[in-house]
Amino acid sequence: PLFDRLGRTVRLTAHGEALLPHAEAVLREMEMARKAVDAGKSPERGRIRLGVIPTLLPGAAAPAVRDFTRQYPQIAVELLEQTTERLVERLRLGELDLALLALPLKHDEIVCSELFREPLLAAVPPDHEMAGQSTAALARLKGEKLLLLREGHCLREDVLEACTRARADFETFFESDQLDSLLALVEAGFGVSLVPATAARRNSGSCFLPVEPPAFRRAGYAFTRSHYTLPAQRTLVRFLKQYPWDQLFRTAPCA
């Protein structure tokens, strides 16, 4: 819906509906022109609109953006958390400059580059029979109640692929849009899950074990071919490529 300055809903006429795509195209061109003007400015100043998928934001993107803004205080980073499909659409429309998301991503307009591969860990209740072991064989977890993110989250597909490769057939018990909700249920003994290592780093109530065979997810950045790349955006990309991501994957052994 469209709104006026007072927040009231505006209904378009048939002619308005016909002109709307052209008006949006003009606004996009104006935004690209603004970026072209900004392109001559310092690479250590500016504003970046950065999209991040929910499973990357708390454990990986947040500390990286924090360190980036400390190093480049004159670059403002505006964060937007959404699923991959919505981030891709916002990139295509020019509403985002850059996105951090799971790979692979196949889209003609989108350019992607891998930043890191994050291990997936088995999250089990602290009193689980495997809690004291050094690794968790996925095949041995067969028949457990598996806690999953809902469809639309890329991590769900990574988890299911890892289970398929290990021939581990789980009983799906609960689905959520929040990774923290899954971990709270694991801690309470409702089931097990596979989670990124950065999530394990932020939660201590469950026991986290490397899985056999090893599983991981790929993460990287994406932008569109058709939009201007600002100096500040190139500064952020260079920073992300050099960032020590593996330091975020370290977890304490189970007690």
Side-chain angles (χ1 to χ4, degrees):
L2 299 176
F3 302 94
D4 63 15
R5 294 181 179 179
L6 298 178
R8 296 172 299 192
T9 303
V10 176
R11 298 186 182 278
L12 296 177
T13 64
H15 293 297
E17 291 283 357
L19 288 173
L20 181 59
H22 301 286
E24 291 176 337
V26 170
L27 291 174
R28 288 197 296 272
E29 290 294 331
M30 291 176 62
E31 176 65 11
M32 291 172 65
R34 182 193 65 78
K35 289 185 176 183
V37 172
D38 288 343
K41 296 181 179 179
S42 167
E44 297 188 5
R45 289 178 177 271
R47 176 176 67 104
I48 301 172
R49 297 167 301 177
L50 177 65
V52 189
I53 59 174
T55 56
L56 276 177
L57 181 55
V65 172
R66 174 202 62 201
D67 294 344
F68 175 77
T69 54
R70 287 176 179 174
Q71 185 170 336
Y72 299 98
Q74 299 301 317
I75 298 179
V77 180
E78 298 178 5
L79 287 172
L80 175 69
E81 182 187 51
Q82 287 189 336
T83 59
T84 298
E85 182 179 356
R86 293 182 178 180
L87 291 182
V88 168
E89 180 63 14
R90 287 182 177 270
L91 282 172
R92 191 185 65 80
L93 293 175
E95 297 174 357
L96 288 174
D97 301 309
L98 202 70
L100 298 179
L101 34 70
L103 302 178
L105 178 66
K106 295 182 179 179
H107 197 289
D108 291 341
E109 296 182 50
I110 306 297
V111 178
C112 301
S113 182
E114 183 175 316
L115 289 171
F116 59 85
R117 298 190 176 194
E118 180 176 11
L120 296 181
L121 307 179
V124 301
D127 59 351
H128 194 276
E129 62 179 6
M130 298 184 70
Q133 300 183 12
S134 58
T135 60
L138 286 177
R140 287 190 55 192
L141 292 173
K142 183 177 180 179
E144 297 267 6
K145 294 175 180 177
L146 180 64
L147 310 181
L148 277 174
L149 289 175
R150 298 187 196 279
E151 289 188 12
H153 294 274
C154 300
L155 179 61
R156 174 191 177 94
E157 303 307 318
D158 291 328
V159 169
L160 292 177
E161 182 180 347
C163 294
T164 299
R165 287 201 309 268
R167 299 182 179 179
D169 296 325
F170 290 92
E171 174 189 348
T172 302
F173 175 67
F174 183 79
E175 295 181 347
S176 173
D177 286 315
Q178 302 295 328
L179 194 56
D180 286 345
S181 297
L182 299 185
L183 289 172
L185 289 173
V186 169
E187 182 180 353
F190 281 90
V192 301
S193 190
L194 263 66
V195 301
T198 49
R201 182 172 174 266
R202 296 181 299 107
N203 294 269
S204 58
S206 302
C207 181
F208 300 95
L209 303 166
V211 296
E212 290 293 340
F216 61 88
R217 67 164 174 177
R218 296 170 56 203
Y221 65 89
F223 60 94
T224 55
R225 298 178 185 275
S226 57
H227 295 143
Y228 291 105
T229 301
L230 298 177
Q233 181 177 328
R234 291 194 292 269
T235 300
L236 176 58
V237 167
R238 184 170 60 252
F239 178 90
L240 294 175
K241 287 181 175 180
Q242 298 172 352
Y243 195 73
W245 298 102
D246 58 338
Q247 292 186 6
L248 302 178
F249 306 156
R250 298 173 183 171
T251 57
C254 297

